[in-house]
Amino acid sequence: MSAPDPCQPKHRFVFLKIHKTGSSTIATMLQRYGYRRDLNFALPSGAVHYFPMSNQRYRFDTPRLVFQWDLTDRSGALVWPALGGYQVLVNHALYNRTVDEILIPNAVYFTMIREPLARTESFFRYFLFDQAVPHKANEDPLEVFMRDPQRHTQKLSNNKWTKYFRNGQFFSLGLEREDYKNLRAVEAAIDSLSRGMDLVMLNEYFDESLLLLKKLMCWDFQDIVYISKAVRRPSGNHTSIPAGLRDQILRWNAADLRLYQHFNRTFWTKVQKYGPEFGHDLDTFRAMKESATQACMATGSRQWDWHNSSYWKLPPNASEKCRDYTRDDKAWVMLIRSRMRTKSSAFIKYRNG
C-alpha cells in the first residue's frame, strides 16, 4: 500500500486584504472556498464588508466589531466557540498578529502586494482623488498632487481612504505612519512580516501567486480558479508616467518600495522551491481559468461602476458555478452573514431546548 498523502487542506486562514492590489479577486475566491465548505467567517458586525476603525486601527478584541462575537444562549454561554470558533478572515482589516490570533488561532497568514508606482496610480484614480485635486484641463492631476503632496493630503483629510494612499500597503500590514521615514523601523517591520507571513503574493504575478497559495494550503486547482473583479477600465497605465514623476512617487512611497523589493525576492525563492513542475502546473491552471471565464462570459457581460471598475452581470438562468465566480465581495458577505445567522440560531434553539 502506498503511504497516505501527508498534505491536508488547510481551513484556518487570514488574508490581509490591501486596497488596490487585486485583493477583491482573491477575497471572493476565498469566500467561495469557505462558503462551499461551511467554514466560519469573522465578519464585520455592521452592514459593511470591511471592519470599522478604532483609534486608526481595527481591533478584534472589541466584541461589537465582529459579527456575533458575543452571541450567547439563554444560559449566557458564548455560541461561536461551541460551533468551532472563527476560521476565516478575508475582509479589509489591518494586520495586528497579537489580536488576530485571539480571533483565529493557528491560522495561515497571507496577503498580496503590488508594485508601488502602479498601486499609487490605480488608488489615486479609483478613489477619485483625480477629481478632488484642482488642475487645469491639460494637466495630469496626479502630477499636480505630487508637486505638493503634503498640502493636497491635508485637503483630502476628510476622505476616509486618504490614510491608505501613501505607503498604504505597509500601513495595512502594521507600519505606523510616523515610521514611514524611519529606516530602522521599516526594516524591523519587514523582518517581523517575513517571520509572520506564510506567503506574500505579488499582483504582477497573479497566477503564479495563486499556484504558490494552492501548494501552501494543500488545495486543488479548482479552488483557485477565478474571474477578475474590480478591474479598472483600460485607459492607459503607469508606464506612461514621466520619469521625474515616477521618481517622486517612489520616493514618497519609500516604505512600500522597500516592502515590495524584499518580498519580490522571497517570492521567487518560493517559486524555485516549488519544483520543476511549476511551469506545467501554471499552464494547467491558466487553461482551467480561461475555460471558466469563457463559459461565464457566454451568458454574462462585464459592466462598469462609478469607479470605472468592472463587475459581472449574469442572466437569471446563469449556472451556480458562474454565480459563485462572479459574485462580488459585498454579495458574499451578505450570503455568509445570512448562513452564520441561520447556523447560530439553530444551535441556540437546540441548546435552549
Side-chain angles (χ1 to χ4, degrees), residues 51-66:
F51 284 91
M53 286 183 295
S54 175
N55 297 325
Q56 300 182 338
R57 292 213 166 266
Y58 304 125
R59 296 185 57 80
F60 302 123
D61 50 354
T62 304
R64 64 181 178 83
L65 298 186
V66 180

Side-chain angles (χ1 to χ4, degrees), residues 3 52 76 83 92 123 155 160 191 211 228 243 261 271 299 326 336:
L83 287 170
H92 280 299
F123 190 104
K155 288 184 176 182
K160 66 181 179 180
D191 181 64
L211 209 56
S228 298
Q261 289 171 336
V271 170
T299 58
T326 59
I336 294 167

Side-chain angles (χ1 to χ4, degrees), residues 198-200 212 265-275:
D198 295 286
L199 176 64
V200 176
L212 293 180
R265 291 191 295 270
T266 64
F267 180 86
W268 295 109
T269 299
K270 291 180 183 296
V271 170
Q272 288 181 333
K273 289 182 179 179
Y274 188 106

Side-chain angles (χ1 to χ4, degrees), residues 221-277:
F221 282 108
Q222 194 62 53
D223 297 328
I224 61 171
V225 169
Y226 68 91
I227 293 180
S228 298
K229 299 175 184 67
V231 177
R232 193 177 70 190
R233 189 193 299 270
S235 59
N237 55 59
H238 68 278
T239 58
S240 63
I241 296 176
L245 179 57
R246 290 164 61 91
D247 291 342
Q248 279 183 293
I249 292 172
L250 291 177
R251 284 197 300 270
W252 196 60
N253 289 280
D256 264 8
L257 180 60
R258 294 187 78 88
L259 176 80
Y260 183 84
Q261 289 171 336
H262 173 84
F263 284 108
N264 192 334
R265 291 191 295 270
T266 64
F267 180 86
W268 295 109
T269 299
K270 291 180 183 296
V271 170
Q272 288 181 333
K273 289 182 179 179
Y274 188 106
E277 68 274 18

Side-chain angles (χ1 to χ4, degrees), residues 11-13 38-42 78-88 101-106 340 343-344 347 351:
H11 287 165
R12 303 182 66 82
F13 54 89
D38 198 25
L39 303 183
N40 299 334
F41 284 74
L78 288 170
V79 169
W80 280 103
L83 287 170
Y86 298 112
Q87 299 163 292
V88 177
E101 288 184 349
I102 295 173
L103 185 68
I104 306 178
N106 305 314
M340 291 181 66
K343 184 189 296 188
S344 60
F347 181 77
R351 180 182 267 183

Side-chain angles (χ1 to χ4, degrees), residues 193-219:
L193 285 170
S194 295
R195 289 180 278 107
M197 285 287 166
D198 295 286
L199 176 64
V200 176
M201 301 179 284
L202 303 180
N203 171 275
E204 291 75 18
Y205 302 96
F206 207 91
D207 292 349
E208 292 88 344
S209 293
L210 289 181
L211 209 56
L212 293 180
L213 180 64
K214 169 187 172 294
K215 183 163 185 142
L216 172 67
M217 303 299 287
C218 299
W219 290 354

